[in-house]
Amino acid sequence: MSITDILSPSDIAAALRDCQAPDSFSPKKFFQISGMSKKSSSQLKEIFRILDNDQSGFIEEDELKYFLQRFECGARVLTTSETKTLLAAADHDGDGKIGAEGINLFINT
């Protein structure tokens, strides 16, 4: 399954256009524009599996850096500041990674 099986390619493109400039990524806005904030729990879990590049069951800081590229291979890399902000928003136990059970926290940042 690919991300475009769950999210509209045009919504993904619009979300990526909105955050093209470094340090312009807003998780909440990205999730709204891409349509992620409107998806069911099962769809969010599938998106999580797609974002979990190494299939470890967690999304770590290294994977978050390439977050936008999971939506489109030519997208930019998140800046260190953007990556840390995104991680901090969803890593409520402070272990440096986001587990599948935290997907709703991740989307509702």
Side-chain angles (χ1 to χ4, degrees):
M1 179 171 280
S2 81
I3 201 104
T4 56
D5 292 331
I6 304 166
L7 300 173
S8 156
S10 62
D11 289 346
I12 292 170
L16 290 171
R17 274 192 310 275
D18 185 68
C19 63
Q20 282 182 356
D23 293 316
S24 67
F25 177 76
S26 164
K28 185 172 186 167
K29 193 172 181 186
F30 184 87
F31 299 143
Q32 288 172 344
I33 295 171
S34 70
M36 289 173 69
S37 61
K38 298 176 189 169
K39 297 302 175 186
S40 69
S41 290
S42 63
Q43 289 171 312
L44 291 175
K45 286 180 183 176
E46 187 57 37
I47 291 169
F48 182 91
R49 280 191 272 285
I50 293 167
L51 296 174
D52 180 14
N53 195 40
D54 64 4
Q55 300 301 299
S56 67
F58 298 97
I59 299 175
E60 295 92 1
E61 190 170 342
D62 282 349
E63 289 169 307
L64 285 177
K65 180 178 178 181
Y66 300 101
F67 176 81
L68 297 177
Q69 293 182 353
R70 301 300 291 159
F71 292 86
E72 182 179 280
C73 63
R76 73 175 179 87
V77 176
L78 292 178
T79 66
T80 300
S81 174
E82 290 169 323
T83 302
K84 290 188 182 302
T85 298
L86 183 53
L87 180 61
D91 178 20
H92 290 275
D93 64 3
D95 65 356
K97 53 191 174 184
I98 302 164
E101 69 284 347
I103 190 66
N104 288 324
L105 296 172
F106 187 64
I107 297 304
N108 294 313
T109 57

XYZ file of all heavy atoms in Angstrom:
841
model
N 0.847 -1.181 0.000
C 0.000 0.000 0.000
C 0.888 1.238 0.000
O 1.927 1.269 0.637
C -0.899 -0.016 1.240
C -1.790 1.203 1.332
S -3.032 1.127 2.623
C -4.247 0.114 1.834
N 0.442 2.233 -0.730
C 1.190 3.489 -0.749
C 0.356 4.583 -0.090
O -0.850 4.432 0.109
C 1.578 3.881 -2.174
O 0.499 4.506 -2.821
N 0.999 5.669 0.202
C 0.336 6.794 0.866
C -0.810 7.345 0.015
O -1.817 7.808 0.544
C 1.370 7.869 1.259
C 0.828 8.768 2.360
C 1.775 8.720 0.104
C 1.396 8.484 3.691
N -0.680 7.253 -1.328
C -1.730 7.775 -2.207
C -2.947 6.847 -2.271
O -3.955 7.216 -2.862
C -1.192 8.058 -3.625
O -0.605 6.866 -4.140
C -0.181 9.197 -3.602
N -2.849 5.664 -1.663
C -4.027 4.812 -1.518
C -4.923 5.333 -0.388
O -6.087 4.960 -0.312
C -3.632 3.359 -1.217
C -2.945 2.685 -2.388
O -3.229 3.063 -3.545
O -2.115 1.793 -2.140
N -4.362 6.176 0.460
C -5.092 6.699 1.617
C -5.367 8.197 1.472
O -6.437 8.674 1.815
C -4.295 6.439 2.912
C -3.996 4.945 3.057
C -5.054 6.960 4.128
C -2.956 4.621 4.100
N -4.389 8.915 0.951
C -4.502 10.368 0.806
C -4.537 10.749 -0.667
O -3.870 10.123 -1.494
C -3.313 11.065 1.480
C -3.125 10.823 2.966
C -1.820 11.442 3.441
C -4.298 11.367 3.757
N -5.259 11.782 -0.976
C -5.361 12.272 -2.345
C -4.023 12.854 -2.803
O -3.420 13.665 -2.090
C -6.438 13.357 -2.392
O -6.239 14.226 -3.468
N -3.553 12.469 -3.983
C -2.313 13.052 -4.500
C -2.365 14.579 -4.584
O -1.371 15.249 -4.318
C -2.166 12.427 -5.890
C -2.893 11.127 -5.786
C -4.062 11.410 -4.873
N -3.525 15.135 -4.930
C -3.621 16.596 -5.011
C -3.539 17.238 -3.622
O -2.963 18.315 -3.472
C -4.895 17.025 -5.739
O -6.044 16.588 -5.043
N -4.089 16.588 -2.609
C -3.980 17.105 -1.233
C -2.534 17.028 -0.747
O -2.036 17.949 -0.098
C -4.894 16.340 -0.282
C -6.371 16.649 -0.492
O -6.699 17.646 -1.177
O -7.201 15.881 0.042
N -1.856 15.935 -1.068
C -0.442 15.793 -0.698
C 0.368 16.897 -1.369
O 1.185 17.554 -0.721
C 0.097 14.396 -1.090
C -0.550 13.315 -0.225
C 1.622 14.360 -0.977
C -0.263 11.898 -0.691
N 0.137 17.106 -2.653
C 0.874 18.144 -3.394
C 0.636 19.519 -2.784
O 1.572 20.311 -2.623
C 0.478 18.129 -4.867
N -0.602 19.810 -2.416
C -0.919 21.107 -1.801
C -0.217 21.257 -0.449
O 0.317 22.332 -0.134
C -2.429 21.253 -1.630
N -0.197 20.192 0.336
C 0.458 20.242 1.645
C 1.967 20.456 1.491
O 2.577 21.224 2.240
C 0.176 18.964 2.423
N 2.569 19.809 0.508
C 4.010 19.960 0.271
C 4.343 21.358 -0.258
O 5.364 21.938 0.130
C 4.512 18.884 -0.692
C 4.526 17.464 -0.116
C 4.818 16.451 -1.211
C 5.522 17.345 1.020
N 3.492 21.899 -1.114
C 3.704 23.266 -1.612
C 3.668 24.277 -0.468
O 4.407 25.249 -0.452
C 2.633 23.647 -2.646
C 2.941 23.244 -4.049
C 2.015 23.893 -5.069
N 0.599 23.773 -4.767
C -0.167 22.721 -5.100
N 0.370 21.701 -5.748
N -1.445 22.706 -4.795
N 2.801 24.026 0.502
C 2.637 24.948 1.619
C 3.892 25.049 2.495
O 4.082 26.055 3.162
C 1.446 24.513 2.475
C 1.152 25.488 3.587
O 0.712 26.615 3.286
O 1.399 25.135 4.763
N 4.728 24.031 2.463
C 5.900 24.037 3.355
C 7.203 23.854 2.586
O 8.148 23.248 3.090
C 5.747 22.974 4.439
S 5.665 21.283 3.823
N 7.288 24.400 1.391
C 8.499 24.271 0.570
C 9.711 24.961 1.181
O 10.826 24.469 1.076
C 8.261 24.839 -0.822
C 7.480 23.933 -1.718
C 7.312 24.525 -3.112
O 7.721 25.638 -3.388
N 6.687 23.769 -3.994
N 9.513 26.099 1.787
C 10.639 26.864 2.338
C 11.104 26.238 3.656
O 10.287 25.772 4.458
C 10.230 28.316 2.577
N 12.416 26.215 3.877
C 12.931 25.714 5.153
C 12.286 26.456 6.329
O 12.028 27.651 6.270
C 14.432 26.000 5.076
C 14.719 26.037 3.607
C 13.486 26.621 2.977
N 12.012 25.712 7.378
C 11.408 26.216 8.611
C 9.986 26.751 8.412
O 9.495 27.537 9.221
C 12.302 27.258 9.291
C 13.592 26.633 9.807
O 13.521 25.537 10.405
O 14.658 27.221 9.592
N 9.304 26.295 7.368
C 7.911 26.688 7.148
C 6.936 25.551 7.445
O 5.725 25.719 7.329
C 7.713 27.162 5.705
O 7.888 26.076 4.798
N 7.460 24.395 7.840
C 6.617 23.231 8.109
C 5.859 23.400 9.418
O 6.449 23.612 10.471
C 7.473 21.955 8.162
C 6.698 20.725 8.513
C 5.889 20.108 7.574
C 6.780 20.174 9.779
C 5.182 18.956 7.897
C 6.075 19.031 10.114
C 5.274 18.415 9.168
N 4.549 23.314 9.340
C 3.670 23.316 10.508
C 2.944 21.975 10.522
O 2.138 21.706 9.625
C 2.652 24.452 10.407
O 1.590 24.249 11.323
N 3.239 21.126 11.516
C 2.600 19.804 11.521
C 1.083 19.879 11.428
O 0.483 19.210 10.596
C 3.044 19.199 12.851
C 4.306 19.900 13.187
C 4.155 21.291 12.641
N 0.466 20.704 12.248
C -0.993 20.789 12.262
C -1.541 21.195 10.891
O -2.476 20.591 10.369
C -1.447 21.777 13.329
C -2.938 21.827 13.491
C -3.331 22.677 14.677
C -4.821 22.592 14.905
N -5.228 23.124 16.177
N -0.926 22.191 10.275
C -1.375 22.652 8.964
C -1.144 21.575 7.901
O -1.996 21.331 7.050
C -0.653 23.950 8.598
C -1.251 24.669 7.426
C -0.626 26.036 7.243
C -1.248 26.773 6.081
N -0.565 28.033 5.800
N 0.005 20.916 7.951
C 0.305 19.853 6.992
C -0.723 18.729 7.106
O -1.236 18.232 6.099
C 1.722 19.297 7.212
C 2.115 18.273 6.188
C 2.685 18.658 4.988
C 1.895 16.924 6.414
C 3.034 17.710 4.023
C 2.242 15.973 5.465
C 2.810 16.371 4.267
N -1.040 18.318 8.333
C -1.992 17.232 8.534
C -3.392 17.624 8.056
O -4.122 16.798 7.527
C -2.022 16.800 9.992
C -0.696 16.278 10.488
C -0.279 16.540 11.778
C 0.146 15.541 9.673
C 0.939 16.072 12.246
C 1.368 15.064 10.129
C 1.759 15.327 11.416
N -3.741 18.897 8.205
C -5.039 19.363 7.728
C -5.085 19.411 6.202
O -6.011 18.888 5.581
C -5.359 20.743 8.308
C -5.683 20.700 9.781
C -5.805 22.085 10.392
O -5.372 23.086 9.821
N -6.387 22.152 11.579
N -4.085 20.042 5.592
C -4.082 20.192 4.128
C -3.982 18.835 3.430
O -4.663 18.590 2.431
C -2.941 21.127 3.671
C -3.174 22.546 4.194
C -2.827 21.135 2.142
C -1.998 23.484 3.972
N -3.161 17.944 3.963
C -2.975 16.630 3.336
C -4.186 15.719 3.513
O -4.316 14.720 2.813
C -1.731 15.943 3.899
O -1.960 15.558 5.252
N -5.053 16.054 4.448
C -6.219 15.219 4.722
C -6.006 14.206 5.826
O -6.922 13.467 6.182
N -4.808 14.156 6.380
C -4.523 13.182 7.434
C -5.403 13.385 8.661
O -5.799 12.414 9.310
C -3.045 13.240 7.841
C -2.117 12.690 6.790
S -0.372 12.940 7.179
C -0.157 11.857 8.564
N -5.725 14.619 8.983
C -6.499 14.905 10.186
C -7.951 14.409 10.083
O -8.655 14.357 11.081
C -6.476 16.401 10.499
O -7.042 17.135 9.438
N -8.373 13.996 8.890
C -9.745 13.517 8.685
C -9.824 11.999 8.553
O -10.886 11.464 8.280
C -10.327 14.153 7.424
C -10.430 15.658 7.479
C -10.914 16.196 6.157
C -10.815 17.710 6.141
N -11.015 18.251 4.806
N -8.718 11.324 8.734
C -8.693 9.880 8.514
C -9.068 9.100 9.773
O -8.895 9.565 10.895
C -7.312 9.439 8.007
C -6.951 10.040 6.663
C -7.982 9.689 5.606
C -7.727 10.366 4.276
N -8.788 10.136 3.323
N -9.551 7.883 9.566
C -9.929 6.998 10.667
C -8.680 6.465 11.366
O -7.561 6.551 10.834
C -10.739 5.822 10.122
O -9.901 4.970 9.351
N -8.885 5.893 12.536
C -7.761 5.314 13.283
C -7.044 4.242 12.480
O -5.817 4.179 12.485
C -8.243 4.721 14.610
O -8.634 5.742 15.478
N -7.793 3.408 11.775
C -7.142 2.347 10.996
C -6.349 2.929 9.826
O -5.258 2.436 9.507
C -8.155 1.316 10.505
O -9.092 1.900 9.633
N -6.873 3.981 9.204
C -6.124 4.632 8.126
C -4.875 5.309 8.668
O -3.817 5.262 8.036
C -7.010 5.655 7.413
C -8.102 5.031 6.583
C -9.096 6.053 6.075
O -9.584 6.880 6.833
N -9.402 5.975 4.786
N -4.968 5.921 9.840
C -3.802 6.561 10.450
C -2.737 5.532 10.800
O -1.546 5.784 10.640
C -4.210 7.355 11.684
C -5.036 8.609 11.421
C -5.477 9.227 12.736
C -4.272 9.606 10.573
N -3.156 4.366 11.247
C -2.184 3.307 11.567
C -1.462 2.852 10.297
O -0.274 2.564 10.328
C -2.865 2.147 12.270
C -3.209 2.487 13.700
C -3.887 1.347 14.418
C -4.251 1.813 15.824
N -4.985 0.803 16.561
N -2.181 2.788 9.192
C -1.551 2.415 7.925
C -0.570 3.502 7.473
O 0.532 3.201 7.009
C -2.602 2.154 6.845
C -2.023 1.595 5.572
C -1.258 0.304 5.765
O -1.657 -0.541 6.588
O -0.226 0.131 5.082
N -0.952 4.763 7.618
C -0.040 5.866 7.304
C 1.194 5.773 8.179
O 2.319 5.939 7.708
C -0.749 7.238 7.458
C -1.803 7.423 6.365
C 0.266 8.379 7.426
C -2.727 8.614 6.567
N 1.000 5.465 9.462
C 2.131 5.299 10.379
C 3.078 4.218 9.861
O 4.289 4.403 9.838
C 1.632 4.945 11.785
C 2.731 4.812 12.792
C 3.144 5.901 13.532
C 3.374 3.599 12.994
C 4.166 5.786 14.453
C 4.393 3.471 13.909
C 4.790 4.574 14.640
N 2.528 3.086 9.436
C 3.376 1.991 8.918
C 4.193 2.456 7.702
O 5.342 2.080 7.535
C 2.526 0.785 8.555
C 2.131 -0.055 9.745
C 1.530 -1.384 9.319
N 0.101 -1.364 9.092
C -0.824 -1.327 10.033
N -0.476 -1.275 11.285
N -2.101 -1.337 9.725
N 3.572 3.285 6.870
C 4.279 3.802 5.691
C 5.388 4.760 6.118
O 6.487 4.737 5.567
C 3.282 4.487 4.729
C 2.331 3.440 4.125
C 4.017 5.249 3.626
C 1.120 4.017 3.421
N 5.121 5.593 7.113
C 6.119 6.553 7.592
C 7.248 5.889 8.377
O 8.351 6.415 8.439
C 5.443 7.623 8.462
C 4.432 8.516 7.747
C 3.734 9.422 8.754
C 5.089 9.327 6.651
N 6.970 4.725 8.958
C 7.972 3.971 9.716
C 8.877 3.242 8.724
O 8.713 2.059 8.454
C 7.272 2.994 10.659
C 8.227 2.161 11.480
O 9.430 2.490 11.546
O 7.763 1.155 12.064
N 9.822 3.978 8.175
C 10.655 3.489 7.070
C 11.368 2.180 7.378
O 11.470 1.312 6.521
C 11.667 4.572 6.685
C 12.309 4.318 5.355
O 11.648 3.895 4.419
N 13.602 4.557 5.266
N 11.880 2.023 8.596
C 12.615 0.792 8.929
C 11.721 -0.291 9.523
O 12.215 -1.355 9.904
C 13.800 1.094 9.846
C 13.393 1.631 11.207
O 12.175 1.713 11.512
O 14.291 1.987 11.989
N 10.414 -0.022 9.592
C 9.426 -0.971 10.101
C 9.755 -1.477 11.517
O 9.485 -2.622 11.854
C 9.263 -2.152 9.130
C 8.806 -1.732 7.742
C 7.467 -1.005 7.752
O 6.477 -1.562 8.153
N 7.442 0.246 7.332
N 10.290 -0.580 12.337
C 10.646 -0.934 13.716
C 9.455 -0.843 14.664
O 9.543 -1.281 15.807
C 11.750 0.006 14.219
O 11.240 1.334 14.333
N 8.356 -0.259 14.195
C 7.210 -0.034 15.066
C 7.260 1.330 15.736
O 6.394 1.672 16.524
N 8.292 2.087 15.400
C 8.471 3.432 15.941
C 8.933 4.357 14.828
O 9.591 3.930 13.889
C 9.533 3.455 17.044
C 9.173 2.602 18.225
C 9.669 1.315 18.334
C 8.334 3.083 19.223
C 9.337 0.519 19.419
C 7.997 2.301 20.303
C 8.497 1.013 20.401
N 8.600 5.627 14.968
C 9.159 6.646 14.072
C 10.157 7.429 14.904
O 9.787 8.092 15.873
C 8.070 7.574 13.496
C 7.061 6.762 12.677
C 8.715 8.657 12.635
C 5.895 7.573 12.165
N 11.431 7.297 14.546
C 12.513 7.954 15.266
C 12.877 9.281 14.599
O 12.429 9.575 13.503
C 13.753 7.044 15.324
C 13.556 5.769 16.109
C 13.093 4.590 15.272
O 12.931 4.737 14.034
O 12.865 3.518 15.848
N 13.715 10.041 15.269
C 14.114 11.353 14.777
C 14.698 11.288 13.369
O 14.396 12.136 12.528
C 15.115 12.000 15.737
C 15.401 13.440 15.424
C 16.203 14.144 16.504
O 16.277 13.662 17.633
O 16.763 15.204 16.183
N 15.518 10.281 13.089
C 16.108 10.148 11.746
C 15.028 9.977 10.674
O 15.155 10.500 9.574
C 17.067 8.965 11.683
C 18.416 9.271 12.301
O 18.687 10.456 12.585
O 19.196 8.325 12.513
N 13.975 9.243 10.991
C 12.892 9.056 10.030
C 12.074 10.337 9.876
O 11.611 10.647 8.777
C 11.978 7.915 10.473
C 12.646 6.558 10.333
C 11.880 5.447 11.003
O 11.545 5.563 12.195
O 11.624 4.441 10.308
N 11.892 11.071 10.963
C 11.140 12.323 10.887
C 11.835 13.345 9.994
O 11.174 14.130 9.314
C 10.924 12.916 12.283
C 9.883 12.228 13.137
C 9.827 12.884 14.508
C 8.516 12.245 12.481
N 13.144 13.323 9.988
C 13.903 14.251 9.144
C 13.474 14.120 7.685
O 13.376 15.099 6.956
C 15.398 13.939 9.310
C 16.321 14.803 8.522
C 17.761 14.415 8.824
C 18.735 15.224 8.031
N 20.124 14.840 8.294
N 13.168 12.909 7.269
C 12.778 12.622 5.888
C 11.257 12.471 5.742
O 10.773 11.927 4.750
C 13.484 11.357 5.398
C 14.981 11.510 5.442
C 15.719 10.949 6.477
C 15.645 12.270 4.493
C 17.095 11.124 6.555
C 17.016 12.449 4.559
C 17.730 11.874 5.588
O 19.082 12.049 5.661
N 10.521 12.972 6.715
C 9.069 12.860 6.761
C 8.403 13.271 5.451
O 7.584 12.531 4.897
C 8.558 13.721 7.929
C 7.075 13.795 8.054
C 6.377 12.776 8.672
C 6.369 14.888 7.571
C 5.002 12.828 8.801
C 4.990 14.957 7.695
C 4.304 13.925 8.317
N 8.740 14.439 4.928
C 8.095 14.941 3.706
C 8.410 14.060 2.498
O 7.581 13.915 1.601
C 8.506 16.389 3.430
C 8.099 17.419 4.485
C 8.634 18.796 4.114
C 6.592 17.445 4.689
N 9.578 13.450 2.493
C 9.972 12.595 1.375
C 9.184 11.287 1.341
O 9.153 10.615 0.317
C 11.468 12.314 1.416
C 12.276 13.562 1.149
C 13.771 13.308 1.146
O 14.249 12.226 1.473
N 14.514 14.338 0.781
N 8.530 10.930 2.437
C 7.674 9.740 2.448
C 6.381 10.013 1.671
O 5.704 9.088 1.259
C 7.355 9.293 3.879
C 8.579 8.964 4.723
C 9.413 7.853 4.172
N 8.705 6.598 4.261
C 8.982 5.543 3.530
N 9.970 5.574 2.674
N 8.296 4.444 3.650
N 6.085 11.306 1.475
C 4.893 11.699 0.729
C 5.220 11.906 -0.745
O 4.400 11.639 -1.603
C 4.283 12.975 1.319
C 3.709 12.755 2.685
C 4.506 12.857 3.811
C 2.382 12.409 2.843
C 3.985 12.626 5.068
C 1.847 12.178 4.098
C 2.660 12.281 5.215
N 6.439 12.402 -1.022
C 6.917 12.604 -2.394
C 8.433 12.565 -2.362
O 9.061 13.326 -1.635
C 6.429 13.944 -2.930
C 6.834 14.199 -4.363
C 6.308 15.534 -4.849
O 5.124 15.601 -5.200
O 7.099 16.499 -4.867
N 9.029 11.701 -3.157
C 10.479 11.476 -3.073
C 11.309 12.731 -3.319
O 12.398 12.847 -2.802
C 10.916 10.337 -3.974
S 10.635 10.609 -5.719
N 10.813 13.687 -4.052
C 11.583 14.896 -4.320
C 11.393 16.001 -3.294
O 11.972 17.082 -3.440
N 10.599 15.742 -2.270
C 10.331 16.778 -1.266
C 11.589 17.069 -0.454
O 12.518 16.258 -0.388
C 9.206 16.333 -0.346
N 11.591 18.216 0.184
C 12.761 18.619 0.970
C 12.843 17.842 2.284
O 11.882 17.229 2.738
C 12.716 20.122 1.251
C 11.666 20.533 2.280
C 11.773 22.030 2.578
N 10.769 22.455 3.525
C 10.926 22.411 4.854
N 12.036 21.959 5.381
N 9.967 22.828 5.661
N 14.006 17.900 2.893
C 14.252 17.311 4.212
C 13.848 18.354 5.252
O 14.090 19.551 5.071
C 15.750 16.936 4.352
C 16.064 16.421 5.744
C 16.138 15.923 3.294
N 13.234 17.909 6.339
C 12.906 18.841 7.413
C 14.180 19.364 8.059
O 15.175 18.641 8.171
C 12.051 18.162 8.486
C 10.630 17.762 8.105
C 9.944 17.058 9.270
C 9.826 18.964 7.655
N 14.145 20.606 8.498
C 15.296 21.166 9.207
C 15.386 20.510 10.591
O 14.429 19.883 11.060
C 15.150 22.690 9.385
O 14.042 22.949 10.251
C 14.976 23.403 8.047
N 16.512 20.675 11.238
C 16.690 20.126 12.583
C 15.629 20.664 13.530
O 15.038 19.913 14.309
C 18.107 20.456 13.099
O 19.058 19.865 12.204
C 18.322 19.922 14.495
N 15.354 21.942 13.439
C 14.346 22.565 14.290
C 12.956 21.984 14.025
O 12.220 21.672 14.969
C 14.348 24.075 14.051
O 13.299 24.691 14.747
N 12.596 21.833 12.775
C 11.290 21.265 12.420
C 11.178 19.825 12.906
O 10.133 19.417 13.431
C 11.079 21.308 10.909
C 10.876 22.695 10.347
C 10.928 22.736 8.835
O 11.734 21.995 8.212
O 10.154 23.521 8.264
N 12.244 19.062 12.735
C 12.253 17.665 13.161
C 12.060 17.559 14.666
O 11.245 16.776 15.149
C 13.573 16.986 12.739
O 13.723 17.093 11.322
C 13.597 15.522 13.137
N 12.796 18.350 15.411
C 12.702 18.319 16.877
C 11.323 18.772 17.355
O 10.772 18.204 18.300
C 13.807 19.138 17.505
C 15.172 18.486 17.323
C 16.249 19.196 18.108
C 17.605 18.563 17.868
N 17.692 17.159 18.198
N 10.747 19.767 16.699
C 9.408 20.243 17.064
C 8.368 19.159 16.821
O 7.491 18.915 17.658
C 9.057 21.515 16.268
O 9.990 22.537 16.604
C 7.647 21.992 16.567
N 8.457 18.500 15.678
C 7.526 17.434 15.344
C 7.659 16.271 16.319
O 6.665 15.745 16.822
C 7.764 16.973 13.904
C 6.837 15.915 13.332
C 5.364 16.296 13.469
C 7.176 15.658 11.876
N 8.871 15.888 16.637
C 9.096 14.808 17.588
C 8.569 15.182 18.971
O 7.857 14.398 19.604
C 10.589 14.465 17.667
C 10.963 13.341 18.634
C 10.290 12.034 18.243
C 12.470 13.174 18.683
N 8.883 16.366 19.436
C 8.451 16.793 20.765
C 6.933 16.826 20.880
O 6.379 16.535 21.948
C 9.033 18.161 21.096
N 6.262 17.149 19.794
C 4.802 17.239 19.819
C 4.139 15.883 20.039
O 3.047 15.810 20.600
C 4.302 17.858 18.528
N 4.777 14.811 19.613
C 4.151 13.492 19.691
C 4.851 12.511 20.613
O 4.313 11.453 20.902
C 4.072 12.899 18.299
N 6.028 12.840 21.088
C 6.797 11.936 21.965
C 6.520 12.295 23.428
O 7.323 12.926 24.082
C 8.289 12.053 21.647
C 9.141 11.175 22.550
O 8.608 10.218 23.141
O 10.348 11.462 22.668
N 5.372 11.852 23.912
C 4.964 12.247 25.258
C 5.636 11.452 26.367
O 5.581 11.854 27.530
C 3.443 12.198 25.380
C 2.794 13.286 24.585
N 2.599 14.551 25.059
C 2.346 13.302 23.307
C 2.048 15.306 24.141
N 1.887 14.571 23.050
N 6.302 10.345 26.043
C 7.018 9.623 27.095
C 8.515 9.927 27.092
O 9.263 9.431 27.917
C 6.769 8.114 27.020
C 7.290 7.471 25.745
O 7.907 8.172 24.914
O 7.074 6.262 25.576
N 8.950 10.778 26.150
C 10.328 11.254 26.149
C 11.376 10.235 25.748
O 12.556 10.419 26.022
N 10.967 9.165 25.045
C 11.948 8.147 24.667
C 12.622 8.415 23.323
O 13.414 7.622 22.840
C 11.323 6.749 24.681
C 10.234 6.546 23.635
O 9.885 7.519 22.924
O 9.721 5.417 23.537
N 12.295 9.544 22.696
C 12.943 9.912 21.440
C 12.356 9.259 20.214
O 12.955 9.295 19.138
N 11.176 8.666 20.359
C 10.528 8.032 19.211
C 9.017 8.052 19.423
O 8.527 8.234 20.534
C 11.039 6.613 19.009
C 10.953 5.738 20.232
C 11.707 4.450 20.027
C 11.730 3.657 21.333
N 12.537 2.455 21.200
N 8.295 7.870 18.327
C 6.842 7.875 18.343
C 6.373 6.463 18.034
O 6.729 5.899 17.001
C 6.286 8.855 17.296
C 6.822 10.263 17.554
C 4.760 8.835 17.301
C 6.636 11.198 16.383
N 5.595 5.889 18.928
C 5.058 4.552 18.720
C 3.739 4.600 17.979
O 3.086 5.648 17.894
N 3.336 3.462 17.438
C 2.087 3.381 16.676
C 0.897 3.825 17.514
O -0.041 4.424 16.999
C 1.868 1.961 16.155
N 0.938 3.558 18.809
C -0.175 3.968 19.674
C -0.253 5.482 19.818
O -1.274 6.031 20.208
C -0.086 3.315 21.056
C 1.069 3.807 21.921
C 2.440 3.266 21.539
O 2.526 2.308 20.751
O 3.429 3.807 22.045
N 0.801 6.179 19.468
C 0.827 7.634 19.567
C 0.427 8.334 18.280
O 0.553 9.547 18.181
N -0.086 7.581 17.303
C -0.399 8.198 16.017
C -1.428 9.307 16.146
O -1.324 10.326 15.486
C -0.848 7.142 14.962
C -0.932 7.749 13.568
C -2.139 6.485 15.340
C 0.371 8.187 12.974
N -2.417 9.141 17.022
C -3.406 10.213 17.177
C -2.778 11.455 17.768
O -3.113 12.569 17.379
C -4.588 9.736 18.019
C -5.457 8.768 17.257
O -5.649 8.913 16.052
N -5.975 7.778 17.939
N -1.833 11.305 18.689
C -1.103 12.452 19.223
C -0.287 13.109 18.124
O -0.204 14.310 18.020
C -0.185 12.022 20.368
C -0.856 11.460 21.611
C 0.190 10.895 22.553
C -1.693 12.520 22.294
N 0.295 12.277 17.294
C 1.123 12.741 16.179
C 0.297 13.591 15.214
O 0.711 14.675 14.833
C 1.668 11.490 15.475
C 2.678 11.729 14.407
C 3.902 12.291 14.705
C 2.426 11.336 13.116
C 4.850 12.484 13.714
C 3.372 11.521 12.129
C 4.583 12.093 12.428
N -0.872 13.123 14.882
C -1.729 13.824 13.934
C -2.375 15.045 14.565
O -2.591 16.048 13.908
C -2.824 12.873 13.393
C -2.192 11.722 12.634
C -3.821 13.611 12.523
C -1.280 12.105 11.495
N -2.649 14.996 15.844
C -3.342 16.098 16.514
C -2.389 17.092 17.173
O -2.779 17.766 18.121
C -4.330 15.533 17.530
C -5.438 14.769 16.856
O -6.022 15.239 15.891
N -5.731 13.591 17.348
N -1.168 17.220 16.651
C -0.216 18.180 17.209
C -0.605 19.590 16.855
O -1.283 19.827 15.888
C 1.207 17.906 16.681
O 1.207 17.942 15.267
C 1.739 16.616 17.198
